[in-house]
Amino acid sequence: MLTAYAHRTMLVHAHAKLNLALAVAPPAPPKGYHPIASWFVPLSLADDVFVTPASSGTDFALYWAPDAPRPSPIDWPIHKDLAFRAHLAFEAALGRTCPARIEVLKRIPVGSGLGGGSSDAAAVLRALRAQFAPDMDPAQLVDMAMSLGSDVAFFCDTHGPTPRPAIVEGFGERITRVEHVPLAALLVVPPFGCNTQAVYCAFDSLPAPAGDFATRASLAHATHDTARRLGPFAMSPFNDLAPAATHVAPALAQIASELERALSRRVHITGSGSCLYVPALNAELFALAPRARAVSATLRECTFIECRTV
């Protein structure tokens, strides 16, 4: 099988994601993880992951694309990178080595809550499955994904080249694919990230969101249903982690407030932050960033990315 695929490079686009609705429950024993119910949508913003089978050995490279909107130092050990760990998890599951050259060309900002690391890991798993174990049950791929992180399984959609939007529940293992809702969005990435663990710790220390978790989980489904039937501007996005994110990074509240004044519309935080987003019409999308930048020095320090759901 390796011979058949030797020297054939596979490119997988590792898309970013938005949480258009996110309900979070208190931590559950025994591990203390937080169950969620969230509407995930993939975005046009994407990293590129290249996987080339090799005759022996493994090589891993991670670098920023020339057109990356906000490159930052790649200052973490490679062995902690999720894409690198995905290769190790795949080999462990197969019980054999899968020699390959893996290159990750990044565009998704780090620490933004857009799922870049998780998407890269899933891209590696999908490419290795196609090249080394094409008959592998997709459920086995999901098991590998869950060993890496709660968002990775969402991106391991083998239905087509792009992960389909989904309602993601539990600890990330319950994935219900849903209808695509076209939406343009302006992403606003501050010059700082949010530590996911710190945000969840803050969530546990702050007053609980209004209503029980089961009701808010059903609201994640209802938010998608409203957008599907009536259009994206009829929905009301929500994020149970938003207060915790602004608690960890108070500057987020100032940025959101200045954006809302500049653009005269609601601004939302995705996931655990730090990225904010503004739903928009396609026709106005490229006019929003200049309007925001003209308002204050605080907003001029942010990175603006125009994108769409895919």
Side-chain angles (χ1 to χ4, degrees), residues 6 10 16 18 47 97 106 183 204 227 237 301 308:
M10 175 172 287
L18 278 182
D47 296 342
T97 60
K106 290 199 66 63
L183 174 69
D204 293 339
E301 292 178 354
R308 294 166 179 80

Side-chain angles (χ1 to χ4, degrees), residues 126-199:
R126 291 171 61 203
L128 292 174
R129 174 182 180 266
Q131 293 171 314
F132 290 95
D135 296 328
M136 176 187 288
D137 186 337
Q140 189 176 359
L141 208 65
V142 170
D143 289 342
M144 291 182 218
M146 290 303 301
S147 74
L148 295 166
S150 58
D151 287 353
V152 182
F154 162 74
F155 294 105
C156 283
D157 187 4
T158 57
H159 179 79
T162 304
R164 293 165 292 169
I167 303 295
V168 178
E169 298 177 275
F171 302 111
E173 79 283 2
R174 297 197 335 253
I175 302 168
T176 305
R177 300 293 170 179
V178 296
E179 185 176 326
H180 169 70
V181 176
L183 174 69
L186 177 68
L187 306 183
V188 183
V189 184
F192 55 84
C194 284
N195 180 279
T196 300
Q197 184 176 358
V199 171

Side-chain angles (χ1 to χ4, degrees), residues 18-22 39 183 216 219-220 223-224 226-227 231-240 242 266-270 277-279:
L18 278 182
N19 301 80
L20 293 179
L22 175 58
W39 174 21
L183 174 69
R216 296 187 67 75
L219 187 57
T223 302
H224 168 262
T226 297
F233 291 96
M235 69 177 178
S236 297
F238 72 94
N239 180 359
D240 284 356
R266 289 286 308 279
V267 173
H268 310 276
I269 296 172
T270 184
Y277 68 95
V278 183

Side-chain angles (χ1 to χ4, degrees), residues 8-310:
R8 183 179 299 176
T9 297
M10 175 172 287
L11 165 62
V12 181
H13 299 299
H15 293 270
K17 58 87 179 166
L18 278 182
N19 301 80
L20 293 179
L22 175 58
V24 180
K31 294 186 177 180
Y33 296 158
H34 296 72
I36 67 163
S38 184
W39 174 21
F40 282 28
V41 296
L43 299 174
S44 53
L45 175 67
D47 296 342
D48 290 337
V49 177
F50 300 88
V51 178
T52 308
S55 56
S56 63
T58 295
D59 190 17
F60 184 84
L62 178 71
Y63 47 92
W64 288 102
D67 60 346
R70 199 199 75 176
S72 57
I74 298 174
D75 53 5
W76 57 92
I78 288 300
H79 69 272
K80 290 190 175 182
D81 190 89
L82 276 180
F84 180 86
R85 289 170 54 200
H87 187 204
L88 297 180
F90 190 87
E91 290 184 323
L94 262 63
R96 61 183 174 89
T97 60
C98 301
R101 162 76 176 175
I102 298 173
E103 298 176 79
V104 181
L105 189 64
K106 290 199 66 63
R107 295 184 183 85
I108 303 170
V110 173
S112 59
L114 294 169
S118 296
S119 190
D120 294 343
V124 170
L125 291 178
R126 291 171 61 203
L128 292 174
R129 174 182 180 266
Q131 293 171 314
F132 290 95
D135 296 328
M136 176 187 288
D137 186 337
Q140 189 176 359
L141 208 65
V142 170
D143 289 342
M144 291 182 218
M146 290 303 301
S147 74
L148 295 166
S150 58
D151 287 353
V152 182
F154 162 74
F155 294 105
C156 283
D157 187 4
T158 57
H159 179 79
T162 304
R164 293 165 292 169
I167 303 295
V168 178
E169 298 177 275
F171 302 111
E173 79 283 2
R174 297 197 335 253
I175 302 168
T176 305
R177 300 293 170 179
V178 296
E179 185 176 326
H180 169 70
V181 176
L183 174 69
L186 177 68
L187 306 183
V188 183
V189 184
F192 55 84
C194 284
N195 180 279
T196 300
Q197 184 176 358
V199 171
Y200 273 99
C201 287
F203 174 84
D204 293 339
S205 68
L206 295 172
D212 59 70
F213 174 68
T215 300
R216 296 187 67 75
S218 66
L219 187 57
H221 291 265
T223 302
H224 168 262
D225 188 56
T226 297
R228 178 186 60 80
R229 291 185 296 107
L230 303 177
F233 291 96
M235 69 177 178
S236 297
F238 72 94
N239 180 359
D240 284 356
L241 289 181
T246 56
H247 180 82
V248 169
L252 274 179
Q254 178 186 352
I255 292 170
S257 176
E258 293 193 12
L259 277 169
E260 289 184 344
R261 286 201 305 271
L263 303 178
S264 301
R265 64 187 66 201
R266 289 286 308 279
V267 173
H268 310 276
I269 296 172
T270 184
S272 58
S274 63
C275 179
L276 306 99
Y277 68 95
V278 183
L281 298 171
N282 275 315
E284 65 179 353
L285 185 59
F286 292 96
L288 293 180
R291 281 171 53 189
R293 287 193 184 99
V295 169
S296 72
T298 299
L299 295 183
R300 284 192 289 276
E301 292 178 354
C302 296
T303 300
F304 294 84
I305 306 170
E306 297 90 359
C307 64
R308 294 166 179 80
T309 56
V310 293

